[in-house]
Amino acid sequence: MVAILDERKRQVLFAIVHDYIQTAEPVGSRTIARRYELGVSPATIRNEMSDLEDMGYLAQPHTSAGRIPSDKGYRLYVDSIRNIPALTAAEVELIKRHLGSKLRGQEFILEAAARLLSSLTNYTSIVLGPATAAARLHALQIVPLDLSRAVVMVITDGGLVVNEVVELPDSLTHHDLAVLCEMTNRACTGRTLSELRNLDLSTVLGAFNEGISAFESAMDQLIGSLQRKESEHLVLGGATNILNQPDFRDMQKLRNVLKVLEEEALVFKLVTSAAASPASVNIGSENPLEELRECSIITATYSLGGPGIGHISVLGPTRMEYGRVMSLLRFVSQIISEK
Amino acid sequence: MVAILDERKRQVLFAIVHDYIQTAEPVGSRTIARRYELGVSPATIRNEMSDLEDMGYLAQPHTSAGRIPSDKGYRLYVDSIRNIPALTAAEVELIKRHLGSKLRGQEFILEAAARLLSSLTNYTSIVLGPATAAARLHALQIVPLDLSRAVVMVITDGGLVVNEVVELPDSLTHHDLAVLCEMTNRACTGRTLSELRNLDLSTVLGAFNEGISAFESAMDQLIGSLQRKESEHLVLGGATNILNQPDFRDMQKLRNVLKVLEEEALVFKLVTSAAASPASVNIGSENPLEELRECSIITATYSLGGPGIGHISVLGPTRMEYGRVMSLLRFVSQIISEK
DNA sequence: CATTAGCACTCTCGGGCAGAGAGTGCTAAC
DNA sequence: GTTAGCACTCTCTGCCCGAGAGTGCTAATG
């Protein structure tokens, strides 16, 4: 970190990263000298490579194999990407067609985006619906099922509906419920979910029936499940794409990654924490899950009408086409946000 | 099929199936003679095995390897299982604890069942919510979002909620919508979804506003999405368990199976068609998807209060512990149905 | 003094080979 | 009909060897 790399070292490093990303094979000095016009001999490059390894930018699978970039090497490479590469006209056209006009409903858009990204990149894509905490309640409805259960439905201004079955205290009558529904509705409509979470129900309902404070627990249930729901708006695309990546020929590595992808809660944590970090790229060991220390994840955000932002990300091996994925993500999230 | 196997051939076949299920290795004549008390020499068993192979019950990976059961062999084995093995007390206790009393909501029960089955069997479990076609509408609510969109929510008597955003014709006013909602609600409540599908809306709404027949298309949308939703109530458990099965050490086979599991629509088709066949066990090539010709799927049904039945199944290699899985499935579906 | 040619060295990978092990199929004896 | 014996086949493992790729070092060079 302290010493900035001189120009030629950078060139060598980037050549190695570039080559390794394409071939997935450790790259040697001769290859660099041949394929990239650096104007120096392999021997010189060897010296530079040796230095770069000492500095921690490269690693060597074994003596007498070529070098591969370390996480630190990738990091420098990614940080140096100033102008992310332009998409081809074909890609732009494809994206526009698939995310085009007449997609109804948030679900469909997100699913389409996930499918699209995974097929374009051959990596796994993860799309997270807009965080609901900032969304405003459009309406809250309580529909009784029978005397002991009711369905509570919340509609946000973004058109998202979440619902939950709640247990009711035995003591409620039908009429109680109707009034209750009316009052709750009036109290909640227009507020954000996070406001709702802090709302003291007794002040709202106190005037009506001070006796049935037990109802509060039912509302607590709903609020709890709203928090849960927040993490559930998750769409995976191309989870099996890692099978195509030579990096995961090893069954043990494969298992690690697939196991994570199977757990919604983990994926959720992964994406949100990746997005929380200032950079939108998390490389290998930078990311919070030990199991994904051979993966990188690139994240972009979008907003879909409402105030909450959503996340859209691509998960692949550290040997990832960073530039291209960044361009794609940027463009796709832009298209989505335009709706 | 024409000739029934004589007793000793059956014993040999079943011994091979049994051994192969446990070891995943081709089993030879010596092994059978040693491990199973048939009272005959390896040579005799070899003769029987040769016959069984001619009849199509066994196959040989290569000359001079042991035999493995063919699909036909498994089929005979499964059909011969009269008394499925009893569960251990520990298993019974475990299942009861995990599916015990206080699970609220269909979602939770189904998820718990899926998780439980996959961890008990080390295979993949698939749980399908009760078919909604037979469920009765408890309530239908239309909540306008803005002038061009509304959320239509349907609550079944089972407590299941499905909702959909529909586009509205421009010509509707707020007041129209309110009346419309009221009328639709009255017309639909108490009917089954399949009745609803055939309902002629014009007879219901005709009296009110003959002009806005365009509304029919909106309702068509909802009904279409209801059909879609039907297939969406799908919970997978332990999809990565196949990684642990030696049968799928080969990356190509793995890819086939995982690819299917990734596609909800395919999985849905798989389970429903498997359940449609009279036997609850589909072995290898018996099942409808080419990609799963090395898998078997065992299915049971349950009912959850309402009239619709749900499916619960386990997908594993053809080399599956049929008896045990059948017992587990039977017990779990029974426990679920008791709710 | 940075660069480079030359060279010895190391490590992997693939092919070839031999021996062990497992299993079969056949034949002849019981 | 059953079985012992035996030759045969096939896989798997370990081993060796040579080819290939790549490095690191040294000494020469501009």
Side-chain angles (χ1 to χ4, degrees):
Chain A
M1 265 300 135
V2 50
I4 203 70
L5 290 182
D6 71 57
E7 183 53 24
R8 198 174 57 192
K9 280 197 172 48
R10 291 171 64 92
Q11 287 185 341
V12 171
L13 175 58
F14 291 174
I16 291 175
V17 173
H18 189 256
D19 212 74
Y20 184 64
I21 285 178
Q22 295 196 317
T23 63
E25 305 266 298
V27 19
S29 55
R30 249 179 71 85
T31 313
I32 298 291
R34 205 176 341 108
R35 277 212 265 272
Y36 302 82
E37 310 271 325
L38 299 189
V40 290
S41 77
T44 309
I45 293 177
R46 273 204 289 284
N47 291 331
E48 300 288 28
M49 283 165 81
S50 185
D51 290 352
L52 284 168
E53 184 172 359
D54 288 344
M55 290 186 250
Y57 291 105
L58 294 178
Q60 210 172 6
H62 56 266
T63 347
S64 125
R67 306 297 213 290
I68 64 177
S70 67
D71 289 354
K72 188 176 170 187
Y74 283 122
R75 167 51 62 198
L76 187 62
Y77 173 76
V78 168
D79 287 343
S80 308
I81 299 179
R82 290 263 156 271
N83 314 328
I84 63 179
L87 299 177
T88 68
E91 284 170 334
V92 169
E93 207 265 330
L94 192 74
I95 293 173
K96 281 189 173 161
R97 196 170 68 234
H98 278 84
L99 295 181
S101 49
K102 59 182 185 309
L103 272 175
R104 258 190 331 282
Q106 175 172 313
E107 281 303 334
F108 294 94
I109 298 175
L110 301 188
E111 265 176 39
R115 226 188 341 262
L116 189 60
L117 273 173
S118 65
S119 80
L120 277 174
T121 60
N122 215 5
Y123 305 130
T124 301
S125 66
I126 306 169
V127 179
L128 216 58
T132 48
R136 279 180 193 282
L137 252 63
H138 186 80
L140 181 148
Q141 303 233 336
I142 303 179
V143 180
L145 281 170
D146 47 44
L147 273 180
S148 68
R149 295 183 308 156
V151 176
V152 180
M153 289 172 295
V154 168
I155 307 177
T156 70
D157 47 5
L160 180 69
V161 180
V162 295
N163 61 264
E164 192 69 16
V165 176
V166 297
E167 304 279 333
L168 296 174
D170 293 338
S171 48
L172 281 181
T173 68
H174 264 289
H175 179 255
D176 286 343
L177 206 56
V179 181
L180 198 62
C181 175
E182 173 62 22
M183 295 190 73
T184 320
N185 208 342
R186 202 174 302 159
C188 296
T189 302
R191 301 187 185 240
T192 70
L193 290 195
S194 46
E195 281 169 10
L196 194 65
R197 207 169 287 158
N198 300 322
L199 188 63
D200 186 3
L201 277 172
S202 56
T203 62
V204 180
L205 302 175
F208 168 56
N209 44 6
E210 49 287 285
I212 322 184
S213 77
F215 179 72
E216 278 196 1
S217 84
M219 283 305 290
D220 278 352
Q221 254 180 52
L222 173 67
I223 290 177
S225 66
L226 277 176
Q227 279 175 313
R228 259 179 38 83
K229 285 281 165 177
E230 226 177 36
S231 70
E232 279 185 7
H233 237 63
L234 190 76
V235 186
L236 276 189
T240 58
N241 277 1
I242 28 172
L243 294 181
N244 303 327
Q245 300 297 335
D247 313 72
F248 295 99
R249 253 187 257 110
D250 178 34
M251 187 96 349
Q252 191 53 49
K253 294 180 183 174
L254 202 58
R255 198 184 321 231
N256 277 340
V257 178
L258 285 179
K259 207 137 213 168
V260 171
L261 290 181
E262 203 182 7
E263 291 264 4
E264 288 212 336
L266 280 185
V267 176
F268 177 74
K269 211 176 108 187
L270 176 71
V271 172
T272 47
S273 85
S277 70
S280 61
V281 182
N282 276 42
I283 298 169
S285 49
E286 292 173 9
N287 81 47
L289 293 179
E290 172 65 18
E291 293 88 341
L292 300 185
R293 68 186 177 290
E294 313 218 17
C295 295
S296 287
I297 180 166
I298 307 185
T299 305
T301 59
Y302 66 87
S303 70
L304 206 56
I309 61 171
H311 303 290
I312 171 173
S313 47
V314 170
L315 177 79
T318 45
R319 188 188 64 77
M320 190 193 246
E321 291 186 81
Y322 291 96
R324 176 147 179 278
V325 172
M326 284 161 81
S327 315
L328 282 170
L329 269 180
R330 181 175 299 186
F331 187 62
V332 168
S333 68
Q334 179 189 328
I335 293 280
I336 294 181
S337 297
E338 275 170 9
K339 303 217 147 202
Chain B
M1 264 299 135
V2 51
I4 203 70
L5 291 182
D6 71 57
E7 183 53 24
R8 198 174 59 193
K9 279 197 172 49
R10 291 170 64 93
Q11 286 185 341
V12 171
L13 174 58
F14 291 175
I16 291 174
V17 172
H18 189 256
D19 213 73
Y20 184 65
I21 285 178
Q22 294 196 317
T23 64
E25 305 266 298
V27 18
S29 55
R30 248 180 70 85
T31 313
I32 299 290
R34 207 178 338 109
R35 278 212 264 272
Y36 302 81
E37 311 271 325
L38 299 190
V40 289
S41 78
T44 308
I45 294 178
R46 274 206 288 284
N47 291 331
E48 300 288 28
M49 283 164 81
S50 185
D51 291 351
L52 284 167
E53 183 171 358
D54 288 343
M55 290 186 249
Y57 291 104
L58 294 177
Q60 211 172 7
H62 56 266
T63 347
S64 126
R67 306 298 214 289
I68 64 177
S70 67
D71 288 356
K72 188 175 170 188
Y74 283 122
R75 168 51 63 200
L76 186 61
Y77 174 76
V78 168
D79 287 344
S80 309
I81 299 179
R82 288 265 157 269
N83 314 327
I84 63 178
L87 300 177
T88 68
E91 285 170 335
V92 169
E93 207 267 330
L94 192 74
I95 293 173
K96 282 190 172 162
R97 197 170 68 235
H98 278 85
L99 295 181
S101 49
K102 58 178 187 312
L103 272 176
R104 257 190 331 280
Q106 175 172 314
E107 281 303 334
F108 294 94
I109 297 175
L110 301 188
E111 266 175 39
R115 222 186 346 257
L116 189 61
L117 273 172
S118 64
S119 80
L120 276 174
T121 60
N122 216 6
Y123 304 129
T124 301
S125 67
I126 306 169
V127 178
L128 216 58
T132 48
R136 280 181 190 284
L137 251 63
H138 186 81
L140 182 149
Q141 302 234 337
I142 303 180
V143 179
L145 279 170
D146 48 41
L147 273 180
S148 67
R149 294 181 311 156
V151 176
V152 180
M153 288 171 294
V154 169
I155 306 177
T156 69
D157 47 5
L160 180 70
V161 180
V162 296
N163 60 262
E164 192 69 17
V165 176
V166 298
E167 302 281 331
L168 297 173
D170 293 338
S171 48
L172 281 181
T173 68
H174 265 288
H175 178 256
D176 286 342
L177 206 55
V179 181
L180 198 62
C181 175
E182 175 61 22
M183 296 191 71
T184 319
N185 208 341
R186 204 173 301 158
C188 297
T189 301
R191 302 187 185 241
T192 70
L193 290 196
S194 46
E195 280 170 11
L196 194 65
R197 207 169 286 157
N198 299 323
L199 188 64
D200 185 3
L201 278 171
S202 56
T203 61
V204 180
L205 301 175
F208 168 55
N209 44 7
E210 49 287 287
I212 321 184
S213 78
F215 179 71
E216 279 196 1
S217 85
M219 283 305 290
D220 277 352
Q221 252 178 55
L222 174 67
I223 290 177
S225 64
L226 276 176
Q227 279 174 313
R228 258 179 37 85
K229 284 283 165 177
E230 225 178 34
S231 71
E232 279 184 6
H233 237 63
L234 190 75
V235 186
L236 276 189
T240 58
N241 276 0
I242 29 172
L243 295 180
N244 303 326
Q245 300 296 336
D247 314 71
F248 296 100
R249 253 188 259 111
D250 179 34
M251 189 93 357
Q252 191 53 48
K253 293 180 183 175
L254 202 58
R255 197 182 321 229
N256 276 341
V257 179
L258 285 179
K259 208 136 211 166
V260 170
L261 290 181
E262 204 182 7
E263 292 265 3
E264 288 213 337
L266 280 186
V267 176
F268 178 73
K269 211 176 105 187
L270 177 70
V271 172
T272 47
S273 84
S277 69
S280 61
V281 182
N282 277 42
I283 298 169
S285 49
E286 291 173 11
N287 82 47
L289 293 178
E290 173 64 18
E291 293 89 341
L292 300 185
R293 69 187 176 291
E294 312 219 17
C295 296
S296 288
I297 181 166
I298 308 186
T299 304
T301 59
Y302 65 88
S303 71
L304 206 58
I309 60 169
H311 302 289
I312 172 171
S313 47
V314 170
L315 177 79
T318 45
R319 189 187 63 78
M320 191 193 246
E321 293 187 79
Y322 291 95
R324 177 148 178 278
V325 172
M326 285 161 82
S327 314
L328 282 170
L329 269 180
R330 179 174 300 186
F331 187 62
V332 168
S333 69
Q334 178 189 328
I335 293 279
I336 294 181
S337 297
E338 275 171 9
K339 302 218 147 204

